[in-house]
Amino acid sequence: MTGEPPTAETVSTLLEDRELVVVSNRQPYSHEYDGNDIAVQRPAGGLTSALDPIVQSAGGTWVAWASGDADDEVTDERGRVGVPPESPAYDLRRVGLSDEQVDGYYYGYSNQVLWPICHVDPAKMNTDPDFWKQYRSANRAFADAVVEETDDESLVWFQDYHLALAPRMVREERDAFCMQFWHIPWPSWDAFQTCPQYEELLDGLLANDLLGFHTHRYCQNFLDCAAMIPDTMVDRATRSVVYDGRRTFVRSFPLGIDADRRRELADSEDATAFWREFRERHDLGETLAVGVERLDYTKGIPERLAALEEFWETRPEWRERFTYVQKASESRSRIPEYRELQAEVEAEIERLNDRFGTDEWTPVVYLNEFLPPEGLAALYREADLAIVSPLRDGMNLVVKEFVASQVDDPGVLVLSELAGANEELGDEAVSVHPRDTPGFADAIERALSLPESERARRVRDLEREVRSNDVYAWMTAQFRTVEAIRRGRDVAARSQQRKRYEQ
Ligand code: GDG
């Protein structure tokens, strides 16, 4: 089942009528003051907007941090509000966190300990003890809300690295089926061990019945880490870990996008209008490359700019012909490394533009405003190349969005071998190592010289992959795995019973 949001029947068959409870840091809808009025902010993109139609079909509850300043005004005494507001299909259960908790749990432990470790950059780790304290207390707040919203028959689906401890806390109270999807890489044991709380984190995660990652490699890394702590039994044949009397299955489920929706956007009049205006406003060359990301040190933006400098330096024939558009949104700017990165990227772009730019041509166009989806689609559609060169990335959805937006002249994907997306799409991309500056510049040239027939063939193959592994296929694969695990348990329980009877 791919291509469109699942129907309520499909989801409820997959769930075997169990109540679904999704748990994530970000909420799908927030309420904000707009003067004296209260406005609803919709899912802005990413995972919350992808999961929203699924939870709408399934019904149930979504537990998330109450991040809006007017959130409390609309909830009942238990912190719940029906959403979408115009025709409620499920309950949003909001979890209130203090400023201190948000600082320590979100900006602290999640993004200054887990994020750098999982992206194998432990030098960026900040082990302020208060971060861990707040991470534990925020996970407790999420777990308490989940316990209130569930019974032993529920299916609890945790999202991401903000909630590594909550499954254990829920498990202490509930025998519900717990599963978690980890959206960022899982590192090797050597990297993971640099985290002082490695044992507590694994203890939390191993309270899940099913743990999902984007790639096989992350699953292997996780099993290797689990094997290193006391009292675990790692079963490589079934890719599972037995710990504390339960078995956790570890599986890869590469996340996809709503490919049809992206294609529609790329084909839209709005995209064309955006492009017309954009082209007039900027001094572009005839050939265009695009990069789209949050300003994050894992995305490899300075390394990419170095490769572009090498490219223009060693291939002067491409000057005044080839423009690179960097779409970079400000992110986590309360953390010093992120502010420093932003300053570095802006200074480097200015330097490159001073060095190579002319009155008619800007080598690097920098966009730091949030673009409407059709604006992004226009850039993807019109770009000859997408350059996606993270130093490490769980999956990278920009890759898939670019592929799904090739409704016109087929573009080429230049892709880092260190992105999770490389496992599925690497064969039809031009591969780069983000830190190999001369090799990276060569790859850009190679990508630009591919003949049209070859570009079209690659896009066709990439598109097939992206469409068949879209976000709905991702969800279905996980619910089918839940079903298989539960069937396996029923069979095992029945056979135990039979053995007891026969004795
Ligand atoms: C984490 C993992 C994993 C960006 N600028 C605009 C805009 N975006 C959208 C893109 C894309 C999303 O943001 C970024 O998603 P990524 O997957 O590339 O990266 P992370 O934010 O780091 O996400 C990552 C992901 O979780 C999912 O599991 O793939 O590896 O790090 O969808 O389109 N959207 C709009 N305007 C912008 O200016 N409309």
Side-chain angles (χ1 to χ4, degrees), residues 45-51 54 157 159-160 181-184 212-215 218 251-259 394-401 420-425 465-478:
L47 191 76
T48 43
S49 64
L51 285 182
I54 293 166
W157 191 10
Q159 302 295 324
D160 232 352
F181 192 82
W182 193 264
H183 289 262
I184 62 176
F213 295 98
H214 288 299
T215 71
Y218 307 152
R251 293 285 184 274
S252 73
F253 302 104
L255 178 59
I257 57 166
D258 186 338
M395 169 56 78
N396 194 298
L397 296 179
V398 167
V399 172
K400 298 189 172 187
E401 292 165 7
N422 189 59
E423 198 169 286
E424 285 171 285
L425 304 176
E465 188 73 34
V466 167
R467 288 174 71 80
S468 57
N469 288 322
D470 69 1
V471 64
Y472 305 114
W474 175 77
M475 178 219 66
T476 307
Q478 284 171 88

Side-chain angles (χ1 to χ4, degrees), residues 44-47 115 119 160-161 181-185 214 218 255 257 262 292-294 296 298-299 327-329 332 367-376 380 388 392-399 401 420 474:
L47 191 76
W115 182 267
H119 291 87
D160 232 352
Y161 60 103
F181 192 82
W182 193 264
H183 289 262
I184 62 176
H214 288 299
Y218 307 152
L255 178 59
I257 57 166
R262 290 285 164 179
V292 176
E293 44 255 316
R294 289 181 301 101
D296 193 298
T298 61
K299 302 289 181 184
K327 165 77 247 301
S329 350
R332 306 175 190 168
L367 306 173
N368 61 1
E369 71 271 21
F370 191 80
L371 296 183
E374 56 276 11
L376 208 55
Y380 289 146
V388 184
R392 223 161 260 280
D393 214 333
M395 169 56 78
N396 194 298
L397 296 179
V398 167
V399 172
E401 292 165 7
W474 175 77

Side-chain angles (χ1 to χ4, degrees), residues 300 303-304 306-308 310-311 315 389-391 416-418 431-444 446:
E303 292 77 3
R304 190 179 316 154
L308 287 161
E310 168 94 7
F311 179 76
R315 292 147 175 101
S389 58
L391 307 179
S416 163
E417 58 183 87
L418 296 156
S431 232
V432 286
H433 193 292
R435 297 183 197 266
D436 170 15
T437 310
F440 197 156
D442 292 347
I444 294 175
R446 221 171 31 254

Side-chain angles (χ1 to χ4, degrees), residues 270-307:
D270 288 346
T272 304
F274 177 94
W275 175 246
R276 205 176 301 124
E277 211 244 309
F278 184 83
R279 206 180 37 197
E280 267 164 31
R281 196 149 28 100
H282 298 284
D283 300 319
L284 307 174
E286 74 219 23
T287 305
L288 194 75
V290 65
V292 176
E293 44 255 316
R294 289 181 301 101
L295 270 162
D296 193 298
Y297 53 83
T298 61
K299 302 289 181 184
I301 303 173
E303 292 77 3
R304 190 179 316 154
L305 293 172

Side-chain angles (χ1 to χ4, degrees), residues 140-169:
R140 171 64 64 194
F142 278 98
D144 288 349
V146 172
V147 168
E148 277 183 25
E149 299 298 332
T150 49
D151 58 30
D152 287 350
E153 297 304 310
S154 308
L155 174 61
V156 187
W157 191 10
F158 296 97
Q159 302 295 324
D160 232 352
Y161 60 103
H162 315 92
L163 299 168
L165 304 179
R168 172 69 52 204
M169 296 165 173

